[in-house]
Amino acid sequence: MVQKKTMAPKVADSAEPRRRGRPRAYEPERAIGQALALFRKDGFAATSLDDLSAATGMNRPSLYGAFGDKRALYIKSYQRYRDDYTAAVQEIFKGDCPVRDRLRRIYDVALDIYLLGGDAPRGCFTVMTVASDAIADPEIRSMIQEALEGLDRAFLWCFKSAVETGELPATADVATLSQMASATLYALAIRSRAGVPRGELQAFAAGAVDLLCQPAPK
């Protein structure tokens, strides 16, 4: 049996230099979280500076001073979403478990994220909101491409590991399987935003796992 390779954990540098003078009257991470929630709900164009000011409790000069213009805050919010998403699924990808269990857990955690918002679920910020802004913004487009490629690589590792342990046949097209696994996440994002009940979404994910994980013949 070939030993599986684990993905190296991403470690964030949380050390911050001490600041002198009066402390800030706001918490940057909290403000970004509030802006993220608003952008996920209404998108970039429909979210005004007044909306952001009301959501964060910061006036316009404070917003500009802390984050730059609306676009800069939008990009910071998207980066926060990506970081939170990565943190939510990273341990599942790194863990030692059968491929079927790994995929089920990843899809279940994704649904927790996509269904935020109660009666008005948000879906995936990347797929449902940011992708539309990537058309006219090269920086956002680059960020999305990086996110999608990173997800494909993580799934590729997942399926390669399953081939190495004999869970999947040696002839499995792991590159195609990784893209299909990613596409399942995108479909769940769209369906969740459309208000499909969680039970139906879980059934959809379970069917996808069955298709993706055809066992090696005995």
Side-chain angles (χ1 to χ4, degrees):
M1 182 180 294
V2 180
Q3 186 177 5
K4 293 197 290 185
K5 298 180 181 179
T6 58
M7 297 174 66
K10 296 182 179 181
V11 179
D13 183 5
S14 60
E16 295 184 357
R18 292 187 176 182
R19 303 180 185 277
R20 296 183 178 181
R22 273 181 85 178
R24 288 173 172 169
Y26 66 93
E27 299 175 13
E29 289 305 310
R30 182 170 178 271
I32 291 174
Q34 291 164 329
L36 169 59
L38 193 59
F39 283 131
R40 285 190 70 186
K41 174 176 175 289
D42 296 331
F44 177 79
T47 300
S48 69
L49 284 172
D50 288 338
D51 295 330
L52 291 167
S53 180
T56 61
M58 301 168 61
N59 58 32
R60 288 193 180 198
S62 295
L63 283 172
Y64 279 115
F67 305 112
D69 59 15
K70 188 176 80 166
R71 175 183 174 277
L73 180 54
Y74 186 69
I75 289 176
K76 289 179 185 295
S77 298
Y78 178 47
Q79 185 61 59
R80 166 72 172 274
Y81 175 83
R82 286 179 51 184
D83 291 344
D84 289 349
Y85 198 114
T86 298
V89 300
Q90 187 173 217
E91 290 302 318
I92 303 175
F93 275 113
K94 291 195 306 176
D96 186 6
C97 64
V99 62
R100 284 178 173 271
D101 292 345
R102 192 189 309 278
L103 291 177
R104 289 191 189 105
R105 290 175 60 195
I106 289 169
Y107 292 144
D108 202 46
V109 168
L111 288 178
D112 288 341
I113 296 171
Y114 298 163
L115 293 172
L116 285 175
D119 294 335
R122 303 292 183 248
C124 175
F125 193 33
T126 297
V127 176
M128 303 306 304
T129 306
V130 182
S132 62
D133 299 307
I135 298 173
D137 193 312
E139 182 177 358
I140 293 176
R141 183 163 61 249
S142 177
M143 292 177 71
I144 290 181
Q145 290 173 345
E146 179 185 350
L148 300 184
E149 290 169 1
L151 186 61
D152 285 347
R153 286 194 300 271
F155 277 124
L156 181 63
W157 171 87
C158 177
F159 288 113
K160 281 184 175 180
S161 297
V163 170
E164 291 172 357
T165 58
E167 295 176 77
L168 296 180
T171 56
D173 185 347
V174 292
T176 298
L177 288 174
S178 67
Q179 293 174 345
M180 291 175 64
S182 295
T184 299
L185 279 178
Y186 310 148
L188 289 172
I190 295 169
R191 290 167 180 263
S192 63
R193 182 71 179 237
V196 175
R198 181 164 189 142
E200 293 183 28
L201 296 172
Q202 289 174 320
F204 177 89
V209 171
D210 287 340
L211 291 173
L212 291 166
C213 300
Q214 296 293 325
K218 296 183 179 180

